Amino acid sequence: MYLRRRLAVLGGFVLIVAVIAYAAGGGSGHHPSHPGSHRGRTAAAVPAGPPRLVVAMASWQLQAPLSRAVALPVDGNIDVFGGLTGSGNSTTGGVVQLDPADGRATAVGTLPVPVHDAAGAAIGSRYFVFGGGAQALTADAQAFSPDVAQGSPALSIAGRMPGLRADLAAAAAPDGTVYLAGGYDGTNFTPGILSTRNGTTFSTVGQLSVPVRYPAAAVAGGRLLVIGGETGTSASGAGTATDAIQAVDLKTGAVTVAGHLPVPLSHAAAATLNGSVYVFGGRSGRDVVDTVYELTSGATGITATQVGTIPIPTSDMAVATLGDTAYLIGGEGQLAQPGRSVIVARVVRPAAGSTGSAGPGTTGPPFQGRLLIADRGNDRLLLVDAQKQIDWTFPSAQHPAPAEGFYFPDDAFFINHGTEIITNQEDQNTIEVLSYPSGQLVESYGHANVAGAAPGYLNQPDDAFMLNNGQITVADAKNCRILFINADMTFRSAIGHTGRCQHDIPNDVAYPNGDTPLADGNFLVSEIDGSYIDEVTQAGQVVWSVKLPIAYPSDPQQLGPDLYLVADYTKPGGILEFNREGQILWRYQVSSGEGMLDHPSLAEMLPSGLICVNDDYRDRVVIIDPRTSRIVWQYGITDTPGTAPGMLKIPDGFDLLLPNGTTPTHLPASGPGPAPAAPSTPASTAGKG
């Protein structure tokens, strides 16, 4: 938001139940699914649950953008060979060793022939890079021997494949044989399937039924699986993605199309974890995707089932597997530019004892229902699902903006059981209630593009909420007051005197930017100046107040009887849980890399126990697992503003709408009076009526 920005300047296949893992633990108070384990609480022993796939951002990222490289596990580290640099068209011949614990990078050599779009595999104590291209395609098998004491050079050309080949995939069988499939020789797509046991001599074991380039590959159940890829025959190398899963019998060389992906897919990565093959990301048509498929074998062939998503849509990743963990390194986003992201996928066996699709440790997406995003920098609202499909956009040709305009939507919340949306336009100085899905203006408060403090006027309104009785509360930020508006959109009352911006509630409020309704009818107020959080009644009586050791508190939320969540709107930004004494009980704060937040404005806990966050100035909404402090879901391309599908620009608000019309991140605002008993499940704030 503008106010925040201005002030910031000053300051054999085994069928596995494989899913994206979410936060665990049992909480208390209003959010019984709140994960306590990430703060070190001890849980009762329970039987181990089934294995599942956990996918999240690594806590580190690459020092420089990279895509289309080869990554191999070498002595507990990850060695990355070649690839494209940040310019997207420059091939590096460097070999860099990465420490998987912290991403520390060490240069260990240079390939004799710099390449990208190559394949790689380990054979004994040597590591090979097969084919690839740069200025020209190559047939070279380049070898890397970490132990030069045995007499072999560290990097050398060990042999040559039968012909030129780039855009190929490699997979190793349990007996050490490496298989190479797919590719392009500069003129044709190459159908020949090669095998090698030494990296220097090659045999042809069969021919692909569907010649492809850019496939993924894995060995499982005595078969080489060649997954997707691009098909084509033209000399230009132009191809069309295929959904074919080709299976090569490693004993006979027979090739069949054993199954199909849900969609045509190329440029994906594959890894075998705990006996199952997973396919990550890739390109489907023009789109870069974030899907994770598990391949399972049955009587009718191979089935590909989506079991989750990677945090960011990515193609052309290098993949290295260490034990039960696959590292997806670099890759390209929607704009086809190399990136620095590192995604970690691992199979874990968590404690059991939790059931239900929204509960921690269960199957399912990071959230049910749909997420409403206030895409402030693009002057629009978006409604997306967990698969990142856009269900609704406002304004649009079908849902035009009201006559007074729609500018700078700072926050937006569903009301009236999902039939209306209340949104505050901070720099337009208005609050609007819109009918959903028509987008028609129901009512409004304020004068568009005119700031003021008299009844009917606002000056940078922030966090407009509608209460059960139809009244509206809003932090009227530059007027330094918490404002209450009647159901007929007339002025009711205010906490704080206009223009006196100091910490002295109920007389004055020091630049408020949050006014979250609580279940007992009170409100959580965040004051920017002084970093105060206050619980106040509608009359302005202070229930408690605490000064937090953070730079800029934004939009506090209640998690339990004495447990609160707040965003620290700064760079690097943070997410904190705290109590009324000001003790910080948990904190997410990453100083650099993909996990760093840049001015997060709102953080709320989802029913799954995960924490959803607006990461305003990195142009994304992310979902964080508080147990691992890792990003497990993201909408928006990091540091890349845009209006295309999958892109945002300075998102500043969100709300979750469940299929039953409830909004579980809202607590009920029941008006003044004694606090009701804590509900057994997170309750929603109803709208009018």
Side-chain angles (χ1 to χ4, degrees), residues 126-492:
R126 303 178 78 190
Y127 302 85
F128 289 86
V129 175
F130 300 104
Q135 299 301 318
L137 276 64
T138 181
D140 293 329
Q142 303 184 70
F144 172 60
S145 299
D147 189 359
V148 296
Q150 294 186 2
S152 59
L155 285 151
S156 64
I157 297 176
R160 290 180 62 84
M161 295 182 293
L164 301 175
R165 187 176 291 201
D167 313 334
L168 68 165
D175 67 357
T177 303
V178 171
Y179 295 90
L180 305 172
Y184 179 66
D185 66 7
T187 302
N188 298 304
F189 289 56
T190 51
I193 304 160
L194 305 179
S195 69
T196 180
R197 295 183 62 87
N198 56 17
T200 61
T201 58
F202 301 85
S203 301
T204 299
V205 298
Q207 302 287 319
L208 290 175
S209 301
V210 183
V212 291
R213 64 192 294 198
Y214 303 119
V219 170
R223 296 186 292 182
L224 169 69
L225 304 182
V226 182
I227 305 158
E230 289 184 3
T231 64
T233 57
S234 69
S236 67
T240 302
T242 178
D243 62 8
I245 303 173
Q246 302 182 71
V248 184
D249 188 309
L250 298 184
K251 291 183 178 179
T252 66
V255 180
T256 60
V257 176
H260 295 273
L261 296 160
V263 296
L265 190 66
S266 63
H267 298 263
T272 301
L273 297 171
N274 200 43
S276 279
V277 174
Y278 298 94
V279 182
F280 302 91
R283 291 184 176 271
S284 184
R286 295 182 176 182
D287 296 326
V288 178
V289 299
D290 61 359
T291 49
V292 180
Y293 297 114
E294 180 191 12
L295 306 187
T296 55
S297 182
T300 59
I302 296 173
T303 301
T305 304
Q306 184 174 349
V307 293
T309 60
I310 55 178
I312 303 175
T314 313
S315 69
D316 299 290
M317 297 171 282
V319 57
T321 302
L322 290 171
D324 62 359
T325 303
Y327 293 83
L328 308 173
I329 297 170
E332 297 174 6
Q334 193 67 42
L335 302 180
Q337 290 296 313
R340 299 199 294 166
S341 300
V342 177
I343 297 170
V344 178
R346 63 168 59 91
V347 172
V348 300
R349 185 181 290 274
S354 177
T355 59
S357 62
T362 63
T363 61
F367 61 87
Q368 302 292 330
R370 294 172 294 173
L371 197 67
L372 177 68
I373 300 174
D375 191 15
R376 184 187 89 192
N378 285 323
D379 299 323
R380 65 180 183 175
L381 305 178
L382 295 179
L383 194 63
V384 303
D385 60 22
Q387 288 71 46
K388 305 176 188 177
Q389 299 300 307
I390 299 175
D391 292 339
W392 181 78
T393 303
F394 178 85
S396 66
Q398 297 77 24
H399 313 297
E404 65 185 43
F406 191 77
Y407 170 65
F408 214 92
D410 173 74
D411 294 284
F413 303 102
F414 277 105
I415 57 174
N416 201 14
H417 306 289
T419 63
E420 294 178 340
I421 295 170
I422 184 169
T423 175
N424 50 276
Q425 287 63 249
E426 188 177 277
D427 268 16
Q428 193 183 29
N429 298 308
T430 59
I431 297 170
E432 295 177 340
V433 176
L434 307 172
S435 177
Y436 172 77
S438 72
Q440 292 182 346
L441 181 65
V442 177
E443 52 192 356
S444 66
Y445 187 92
H447 294 256
N449 305 310
V450 180
Y457 287 82
L458 299 165
N459 196 346
Q460 291 190 341
D462 199 349
D463 286 8
F465 291 96
M466 182 170 284
L467 310 181
N468 276 345
N469 58 11
Q471 294 179 14
I472 291 172
T473 178
V474 65
D476 193 14
K478 289 193 72 174
N479 282 328
C480 295
R481 63 184 180 177
I482 304 299
L483 187 63
F484 298 95
I485 301 168
N486 289 315
D488 63 357
M489 289 293 175
T490 58
F491 175 87
R492 178 180 178 84

